[in-house]
Amino acid sequence: MRNIEVFTPEGFQEHLSPSNFVQALGPMYKREREDGTTTIALRVLERHLNLHGIAHGGLIATLIDNAIGYNVAIAFNGSVVTAHLAIDYLSSARLGDWVEADVQINRKGRRMCFAECTVRNGRSWMARASCILAPVH
């Protein structure tokens, strides 16, 4: 196992997801933004790497889905499920990188919510995604 920098940037606290799947990938972190949304982040660990030594695309997809789901659930004041998720991967992350996902809710109706997510690795844009979610009744 390689040594990596393990500090958490200022303002972030551990994000305790009720999902066993997300817990197995963790730890994830969160920080509230001025606009009322919450950034979800993680540090890339060795278990997150694919065969090429970069963060697995499935990890980034899970980070995105978790960030969007968390923010939309707060907006709906209840649980939501993902109906559609489209991701464009723009660059990669390596062992020890700090990756942040920010969400923008574009439209919230009674039965559907449309949101976007951007993922950064430092100053580099890593991914962008659009998502449609529905509340669980």
Side-chain angles (χ1 to χ4, degrees), residues 93-104:
R94 299 197 176 275
L95 182 66
D97 287 353
W98 180 259
V99 177
E100 296 182 7
D102 289 313
V103 174
Q104 176 181 331

Side-chain angles (χ1 to χ4, degrees), residues 24-35:
L25 290 175
M28 289 189 185
Y29 301 88
K30 65 183 177 182
R31 178 178 67 192
E32 286 191 37
R33 295 174 40 161
E34 290 179 16
D35 66 2

Side-chain angles (χ1 to χ4, degrees), residues 8-125:
T8 303
E10 187 176 334
F12 280 91
Q13 62 184 19
E14 191 166 0
H15 171 59
L16 301 173
S17 173
S19 164
N20 291 330
F21 181 74
V22 172
Q23 288 176 21
L25 290 175
M28 289 189 185
Y29 301 88
K30 65 183 177 182
R31 178 178 67 192
E32 286 191 37
R33 295 174 40 161
E34 290 179 16
D35 66 2
T37 61
T38 300
T39 297
I40 304 294
L42 59 79
R43 172 115 16 234
V44 177
L45 305 175
E46 196 158 355
R47 67 177 176 258
H48 298 145
L49 302 178
N50 65 18
L51 295 174
H52 306 290
I54 59 176
H56 194 285
L59 172 73
I60 304 309
T62 300
L63 174 66
I64 290 167
D65 191 50
N66 191 261
I68 292 175
Y70 181 80
N71 280 280
V72 172
I74 290 170
F76 271 112
N77 196 27
S79 296
V80 295
V81 294
T82 303
H84 173 79
L85 177 63
I87 303 170
D88 296 316
Y89 294 94
L90 307 171
S91 67
S92 61
R94 299 197 176 275
L95 182 66
D97 287 353
W98 180 259
V99 177
E100 296 182 7
D102 289 313
V103 174
Q104 176 181 331
I105 297 172
N106 296 328
R107 193 174 85 196
K108 180 182 154 237
R110 284 191 352 250
R111 292 187 282 160
M112 293 279 207
C113 184
F114 298 82
E116 295 178 351
C117 181
T118 53
V119 180
R120 285 185 326 241
N121 175 9
R123 292 186 203 165
S124 299
W125 293 108

